[in-house]
Amino acid sequence: MIGLALGSYAMGRRIDAHARPLRTYAALEVGIAALAALSPFLLGALHAIYPELSNALPAGGFWLTLGRLVFSLAVLTPTTFLVGATLPVMSRIYATHGGRVGSDVGRLYLVNTAGAALGCVLTGLVFLRYLGARETIFLGAAINLFVAGGALALTRWVRAPRAGGAASEAGDVAMDSAPVAGGGTGSAGDALPISAGALRYVAIAYAISGFIALGYEVVWARILYIHSSHASYSFSLMLTVFLAGLAVGGAGASWILRRRRAALRHFGVIQLALGLLAVLILHAFAQLPALHLADWFGGYTVAYEFLIAFVTVFPPTVLLGALFPVVGSLYTRERARVVGRRIGRVNAFNTLGAIIGSLGAGFVLVPLLGLRNTTVALAVLNLALGAMALRFDRGGRRALRFAPAGALVATIAAVAILPTGFYLGSYYTETDRLIFYKEGVETTVAVLEIPEDNYKISFVNGRDEVPTDRASMLAFRLLGHLPPLLRPGARNALVLSFGNGIATGTMNTHDIPVIDAVDLSPEMMEAAAVYSEENYNVLDSDRLRLHVEDGRNFLLRAEESYDIISVDATHPANASSWALFTSEFYQLIESRLAADGVFMQWIPIHGVREDDYRDILRTAWDIFPNMVLWSTGSTHSYVVATREPMSSVVMQSVLTRAAANPIVVRDLGPPEAITGYVAMAEGDLTSYIGRGPVITDNDAFFMPAR
């Protein structure tokens, strides 16, 4: 988005002077294609130098996050700069008739955003699945080249009216108070009578609108995640609906502006409606659990996730989409001769506001206020913008004078009858059983307890995790006990996905000097305190070192080897976990595993297609040929890998050590029971997985099994 803003602003200052802007557009598309096609290789090169560069940064999560931002900008900004530059160029080409600028840029916005929605859904559901990430990028680059060729072909027939040279900033301001002559590029009768102060307000208000829009998107994505499968396509579906709403709103506003002139009151009314509707949408989110829509669709299907996004996100995004044509009309004053400069500038302001809104909502407002109150705060900003716009609109109708007060009263009433914030965290409504609840930067975590059943369960972004039923506890216990039994006297251990610490606490009973535990959610680490009985008070252990970090990234930056590496990632179909089931990940594990080390990873049987399950096992086996598949029954299986084959002698030593440890006997049963957890040894395992592909970062795509 930084690139989009810079490109839009920089090109907008120049394009009005170009007699053949189609050539400029073609050049931009060629540049986008070239840089996009290079991006996988640039990212690969960055991947190679990233560990050393990131470890050279000062200690602390802030510096690492800042470093990642800088590294990402280095690769992505040149491409997005050119993408951002295309909007003022296309506006210059398409909006050539004074008095129709708002409608013309609205139609341009419609087709561009509709194309973005189509690209988003096809990428999320089709291209990534069947082509792979790198090939999808190459396909996009090919389309850029095709568009560039079409633009060049049109240059012999299309010549945009000359705007009369690049106006200086002073000249641009002067045009706001002077009539324009020049036929097709604007006339005195076409220009909107808007004061310089009102124009400044439009620019500032549209920047704030960008802040609000991306703030809403962050909040809506977080809430929708609570009601989705967290699959790789879940965010794509939400974003597709978001973009479709923008396109429909742009189409509606463009159609209206063909028939009547834009006014500040239109901007104001849209803002008031947005503020009220954003709060009303919270009521729609609150009712989703009661509707049991997933049961109607047979689970979290694509159709179900599209529907819940449509009924919640689509209505307000229609209003957001209607803003651009209105602002385009107001800020250009319907003068085609300044369309490139004005559209480029106001779009840059809006995008800059969107950048701040994305960062502010995700890193500040949600952790500080929570999802519900962040929405309310953003809605108040909408109401304030609407009220100010109506004050600037001198020709507005008298009835609209009371609109801000009416919208405010309605919004306050809607907020007053909202249910408690807990409805955003779980399908469970038994708030009396809630023992922990927190909304953070990445996750919304709720923990419920049913004392009479001695049962706890966590909900992470709405998905159930860390249940303490007998089958799940046995799974956690084996994950914690087996690696130390296979590797006695381990110097250190690494646990990826700490969760609520049950497996880590179990491992900690084996007196391993150092246990590094990694989890992306600090809220889950905090919630571990209410699992103290189950995790053996692991948070009080001086041998435990907690790291709030992405597991894959931690491995990439790690400089030491580990005797034990244990991975308890969430389901591979989850968009946040697929990267922990690929060949590149297992290669990282192998590079950080000590010569006599043990690697163990939980692999779910439920909710995963058997072909995907076999592919995961084959991918791990490709790196760790001395691998054994274990299972505690139910839906829990594990790959356990060592450098040397697990011979009968090794297994007998495990049983001997288990028999001598009363905690192991209490958690796993008598030693002979442990041998029953071996599901497939090497021979049976290789026969089961058979020949086939291994999963790479480029083609990882796990569809949830229904």
Side-chain angles (χ1 to χ4, degrees), residues 575-627:
S576 58
S577 295
W578 64 266
L580 302 183
F581 297 90
T582 70
S583 181
E584 289 86 349
F585 171 69
Y586 293 126
Q587 290 173 38
L588 262 179
I589 291 285
E590 198 276 338
S591 69
R592 300 294 184 263
L593 192 64
D596 54 352
V598 176
F599 164 57
M600 184 171 183
Q601 181 179 23
W602 173 75
I603 309 287
I605 300 173
H606 69 285
V608 61
R609 297 175 302 174
E610 186 171 8
D611 286 347
D612 284 343
Y613 182 74
R614 291 175 190 264
D615 288 347
I616 292 171
L617 295 181
R618 189 184 306 111
T619 301
W621 180 82
D622 186 59
I623 306 299
F624 298 101
N626 299 316
M627 190 176 82

Side-chain angles (χ1 to χ4, degrees), residues 21 33 36 114 210 238 270 284 294 322 374 388 423 440-441 485 504 579 584 642 696:
M238 189 282 293
I270 292 172
T374 296
M388 287 292 294
Y423 76 86
V441 172
L485 291 174
T504 307
E584 289 86 349
T642 53
T696 68

Side-chain angles (χ1 to χ4, degrees), residues 8-25 28 85-93 160-161 163 165-166 337-342 344:
S8 180
Y9 185 81
M11 184 56 71
R13 292 173 59 87
R14 295 169 174 80
I15 193 59
D16 287 325
H18 289 213
R20 294 187 178 274
L22 267 172
R23 289 184 176 177
T24 302
Y25 179 74
L28 291 173
T86 60
L87 179 62
V89 175
M90 288 303 290
S91 298
R92 166 84 172 91
I93 295 168
R337 65 187 301 174
V338 295
V339 65
R341 172 184 289 273
R342 285 307 181 94

Side-chain angles (χ1 to χ4, degrees), residues 192-206 208 262-269 271-272 330 383-397 400-401 404:
L192 295 179
I194 302 175
S195 67
L199 282 176
R200 284 192 292 271
Y201 170 76
V202 169
I204 295 170
Y206 196 49
I208 298 173
L264 269 171
R265 59 181 172 274
H266 299 139
F267 182 85
V269 169
Q271 293 288 349
L272 295 177
L330 294 172
L383 298 180
L385 290 179
M388 287 292 294
L390 293 180
R391 283 183 61 87
F392 271 109
D393 189 68
R394 299 173 182 174
R397 300 174 182 175
L400 290 179
R401 295 179 182 178

